[in-house]
């Protein structure tokens, strides 16, 4: 009896403070999510080529780290450039192994905003292999109304290798919400991302970003089009132009979405919800169904 009570107590463990180490993680049987305090960055190697550095959220599914980095950038009141949310101070951070949640509060140190982020890891169900919810609540603490631009940045590597390996990236408007899907047909995996935006009382303001951008990583800074991450870190203003709607061919893709609020009242809050869902490609589902049919046929013969 005592052993059973101890196991029950352990299953309902209280959230653990993870702010001191600048890293938080929760896991389930299908994978894990990990959040670090720093933001995605770019350095150069000894030959002058770009090297991307991970930051923010990463996501492991069935032993493969499919999300190299995911983080946020913001501008307040027409600032001359966007700032990475990783530049804000972690005032509190907890990981909850029971609820599979990570909660982080960051404060700006002068911009007049407080950002509360809740990451929730959800297990596999039929039709998905894993899912992550990211809720970002931005509260205006400046004492006066402000304009706010908020960009969510994504760098998925579905095979777990940060090279040119995925082969499709598409953006569509579905049932009033923006849906972006990245796929890798060779390994039979894709990830969809979609968004909503609400006020603190739950009222939906609008259910799609004002802009999005599909991009590919550029290792040579002197050739080709700058990647989205380069644009976010170049010291200038970046606004996402909602083009193109699709990219194809084997590449190392990145993408982002942008929200804009012109008059966020003092003390008011806005919450962006991003739902990221890892799913098997239709071809993988077909193979699984075929395999199941063969197994049933063999069992009947036996």
């Amino acid at each position: 009896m005592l052993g059973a009570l101890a196991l029950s107590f352990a299953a309902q463990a209280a959230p653990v403070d993870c702010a001191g180490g600048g890293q938080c993680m929760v896991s389930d049987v299908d994978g894990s999510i990990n959040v670090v305090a720093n933001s995605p960055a770019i350095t150069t190697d000894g030959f002058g080529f770009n090297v991307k550095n991970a930051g923010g959220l990463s996501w492991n599914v069935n032993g493969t780290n499919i999300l190299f980095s995911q983080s946020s950038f913001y501008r307040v009141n027409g600032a001359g450039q966007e700032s990475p949310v990783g530049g804000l101070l972690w005032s509190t951070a907890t990981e909850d192994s029971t609820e599979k949640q990570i909660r982080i509060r960051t404060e700006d140190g002068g911009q007049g905003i407080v950002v509360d982020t809740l990451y929730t890891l959800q297990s596999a169900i039929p039709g998905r292999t894993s899912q992550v919810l990211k809720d970002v609540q931005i509260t205006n603490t400046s004492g006066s109304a402000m304009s706010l631009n908020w960009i969510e940045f994504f760098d998925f590597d579905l095979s777990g290798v940060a090279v040119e390996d995925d082969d499709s990236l598409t953006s569509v408007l579905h049932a009033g919400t923006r849906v972006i899907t990245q796929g890798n047909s060779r390994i039979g995996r894709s990830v969809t991302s979609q968004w909503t935006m609400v006020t603190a009382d739950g009222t939906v303001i609008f259910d799609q970003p004002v802009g999005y951008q599909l991009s590919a990583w550029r290792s040579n800074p002197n050739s080709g089009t700058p990647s989205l991450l380069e644009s976010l870190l170049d010291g200038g203003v970046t606004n996402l132009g909602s083009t193109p709607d699709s990219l194809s061919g084997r590449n190392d893709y990145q993408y982002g979405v942008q929200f804009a609020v012109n008059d966020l009242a003092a003390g008011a809050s806005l919450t962006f919800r991003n739902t990221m869902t890892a799913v098997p490609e239709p071809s993988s589902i077909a193979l699984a169904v075929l395999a199941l049919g063969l197994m049933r046929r063999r069992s009947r013969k036996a």
Side-chain angles (χ1 to χ4, degrees):
M1 178 65 72
L2 182 60
L5 287 174
L7 288 174
S8 176
F9 180 78
Q12 299 298 321
V16 175
D17 188 333
C18 52
Q23 177 172 301
C24 304
M25 184 182 77
V26 294
S27 61
D28 61 16
V29 295
D30 303 305
S32 62
I33 54 174
N34 185 76
V35 183
V36 296
N38 57 291
S39 287
I42 298 175
T43 55
T44 55
D45 63 15
F47 301 96
F49 285 87
N50 289 331
V51 178
K52 60 181 182 179
N53 297 268
L57 171 68
S58 59
W59 179 17
N60 184 294
V61 178
N62 296 322
T64 300
N65 184 27
I66 68 169
L67 180 56
F68 182 75
S69 60
Q70 195 284 311
S71 193
S72 310
F73 295 79
Y74 68 97
R75 294 194 309 271
V76 173
N77 291 332
Q81 65 184 66
E82 47 275 352
S83 300
V85 76
L88 305 181
L89 300 175
W90 280 23
S91 57
T92 61
T94 61
E95 54 190 37
D96 189 328
S97 60
T98 301
E99 299 297 329
K100 314 302 181 188
Q101 292 182 329
I102 296 172
R103 295 177 180 269
I104 299 172
R105 165 166 283 200
T106 52
E107 303 190 38
D108 67 329
Q111 295 280 2
I113 61 172
V114 171
V115 184
D116 291 289
T117 307
L118 171 64
Y119 302 89
T120 304
L121 176 65
Q122 298 182 327
S123 300
I125 60 173
R128 80 178 187 212
T129 53
S130 184
Q131 183 165 275
V132 177
L133 306 181
K134 179 184 178 183
D135 294 303
V136 182
Q137 178 176 279
I138 307 110
T139 302
N140 179 0
T141 59
S142 68
S144 59
M146 66 165 55
S147 63
L148 173 70
N149 277 270
W150 191 273
I151 295 175
E152 291 283 295
F153 168 80
F154 300 81
D155 186 348
F156 281 98
D157 295 311
L158 300 182
S159 64
V161 183
V163 296
E164 298 175 348
D165 194 50
D166 296 336
D167 53 22
S168 65
L169 184 61
T170 61
S171 173
V172 298
L173 192 62
H174 176 71
T177 189
R178 179 62 51 188
V179 179
I180 296 180
T181 303
Q182 184 165 328
N184 187 317
S185 60
R186 287 176 297 283
I187 63 172
R189 174 178 286 149
S190 66
V191 170
T192 63
S193 298
Q194 55 186 315
W195 294 267
T196 55
M197 177 181 174
V198 298
T199 60
D201 65 358
T203 304
V204 175
I205 300 299
F206 53 78
D207 57 5
Q208 59 179 322
V210 298
Y212 61 89
Q213 183 173 322
L214 311 185
S215 171
W217 172 244
R218 181 180 73 159
S219 59
N220 185 348
N222 299 312
S223 177
T225 303
S227 66
L228 176 57
L229 185 57
E230 288 177 277
S231 298
L232 291 170
L233 297 173
D234 66 4
V237 172
T238 300
N239 289 307
L240 308 188
S242 301
T243 56
D245 285 327
S246 65
L247 295 173
S248 61
R250 196 167 181 177
N251 220 321
D252 184 1
Y253 292 116
Q254 303 176 343
Y255 62 88
V257 298
Q258 180 176 358
F259 294 96
V261 182
N262 293 323
D263 190 14
L264 182 61
S269 297
L270 289 171
T271 299
F272 304 84
R273 164 164 282 191
N274 173 214
T275 303
M276 294 168 276
T277 307
V279 299
E281 292 278 7
S283 58
S284 299
I285 296 174
L287 287 173
V289 171
L290 177 61
L292 181 59
L294 289 173
M295 290 175 62
R296 287 177 175 172
R297 185 177 301 174
R298 288 173 182 170
S299 63
R300 289 194 189 103
K301 289 181 179 181

